[in-house]
Amino acid sequence: MEKRELLHQGKVKSVWATPDPGLCIIEFSDAITAGDGAKKAVLPGKGALLNKISALLFTRLAEAGIANHFVALAGSAAMLARRARLLPLEVVVRNRTAGSICRRLGLEPNLEIVPPLVEFFWKNDRLHDPLLTREHIALLQLATPQQCDAMASRALAVNRVLKEIFAAAGLDLVDFKLEFGVAGDELLLIDEISPDTCRLWRAGAAESLDKDRFRNDSGDVLEGYREVLKRLEEAQCRN
Ligand code: TMP
Ligand code: ASP
């Protein structure tokens, strides 16, 4: 399906209209950013890798009964997706401590979190994506209480499915971020699910194969992303 006008230009992805008003094309660039865009680089081939990984995970989630916006691949670094109005929230699920929860609460990294924790952040670069309570979300009118409940339970369902998919690929899912949109009266899982938006460690070892390599200058980012894709594809073949 052909691209029409640009609907949204993000830091690393762009969203294009198509002749079908219910569908859009999401294009993954090779850019990578961290710290709300303060740190930037271009990694040739990254967009295609994330497109493939996202498509694979969205397909597996749909097979597990979790509706999402993915429709089909639309080229090496693009996907056709259902169009939705973005809720400006990042919904994070944590299975182990890492990243901002350690800084915020003074916790050691790599502690198990049982049951998994769901957090909401405001997608607002100017304010550095602050953590929000449901009362803040209501105050700011970013989503209704019913939408918050639905996002939290959907995020936990996604966690159950993703944890199994990654475990079969020899990877521990430490935490991840989801985004949701509204399409008609449906709450829809959108955006991407990839090593840019998940922390993935080699099973049993606190060794990142994800964007933490970029955030912390701790290794070859593309090599990590390639390994994630290879492991997912191999695990899928064994199934
Ligand atoms: P955090 O520990 O920095 O809060 O991140 C939690 C998870 O969310 C981690 O897997 C990275 C992901 N994430 C994004 O995908 N985008 C973001 O802007 C942030 C802050 C985190
Ligand atoms: N702050 C986010 C991260 O570090 C993304 C970004 O700033 O582009 O994952």
Side-chain angles (χ1 to χ4, degrees):
M1 197 172 290
E2 90 218 42
K3 278 193 310 198
R4 291 265 170 93
E5 77 272 16
L6 182 66
L7 296 172
H8 173 75
Q9 178 67 66
K11 289 194 290 279
V12 302
K13 292 190 296 287
S14 31
V15 183
W16 302 83
T18 71
D20 183 331
L23 298 175
C24 61
I25 286 178
I26 300 180
E27 205 168 35
F28 291 73
S29 76
D30 288 337
I32 185 163
T33 72
D36 303 324
K39 181 170 176 179
K40 290 184 199 161
V42 174
L43 303 174
K46 179 208 174 227
L49 275 168
L50 293 198
N51 188 43
K52 274 209 189 94
I53 294 171
S54 263
L56 184 152
L57 295 173
F58 278 135
T59 302
R60 297 288 299 276
L61 285 170
E63 286 164 4
I66 300 177
N68 61 73
H69 72 157
F70 176 74
V71 176
L73 286 171
S76 64
M79 60 171 64
L80 188 65
R82 287 178 60 196
R83 215 166 138 172
R85 181 175 57 82
L86 172 84
L87 297 175
L89 294 169
E90 302 198 334
V91 184
V92 168
V93 180
R94 299 183 191 272
N95 295 305
R96 306 193 78 84
T97 53
S100 73
I101 196 169
C102 297
R103 293 193 295 277
R104 204 171 339 105
L105 304 182
L107 293 170
E108 289 295 314
N110 201 7
L111 303 174
E112 218 182 326
I113 303 178
V114 182
L117 183 69
V118 179
E119 294 174 333
F120 293 95
F121 294 86
W122 190 2
K123 264 177 84 75
N124 184 325
D125 277 349
R126 194 174 51 85
L127 297 178
H128 305 292
D129 296 352
L131 178 71
L132 299 175
T133 63
R134 290 180 194 222
E135 290 75 16
H136 294 144
I137 295 174
L139 174 72
L140 295 163
Q141 298 186 324
L142 301 177
T144 66
Q146 294 75 16
Q147 285 172 329
C148 288
D149 289 345
M151 284 187 280
S153 64
R154 195 87 61 88
L156 290 171
V158 169
N159 186 45
R160 288 190 287 274
V161 177
L162 288 186
K163 256 182 18 186
E164 267 189 34
I165 293 173
F166 285 120
L171 298 169
D172 288 333
L173 177 62
V174 173
D175 59 28
F176 59 95
K177 182 264 304 183
L178 300 176
E179 295 187 21
F180 291 89
V182 178
D185 51 13
E186 194 186 341
L187 183 74
L188 197 60
L189 176 61
I190 61 168
D191 193 51
E192 68 176 285
I193 305 179
S194 76
D196 258 16
T197 63
C198 301
R199 284 196 174 91
L200 296 165
W201 293 353
R202 283 211 183 90
E207 192 195 341
S208 297
L209 297 175
D210 56 71
K211 190 170 152 184
D212 270 351
R213 287 190 172 191
F214 179 71
R215 293 189 188 97
N216 307 330
D217 292 314
S218 58
D220 184 329
V221 181
L222 282 185
E223 180 197 68
Y225 288 15
R226 275 189 220 106
E227 181 170 339
V228 170
L229 177 60
K230 183 164 159 275
R231 282 169 172 264
L232 286 171
E233 287 177 338
E234 284 171 358
Q236 186 141 292
C237 286
R238 282 196 298 273
N239 248 325

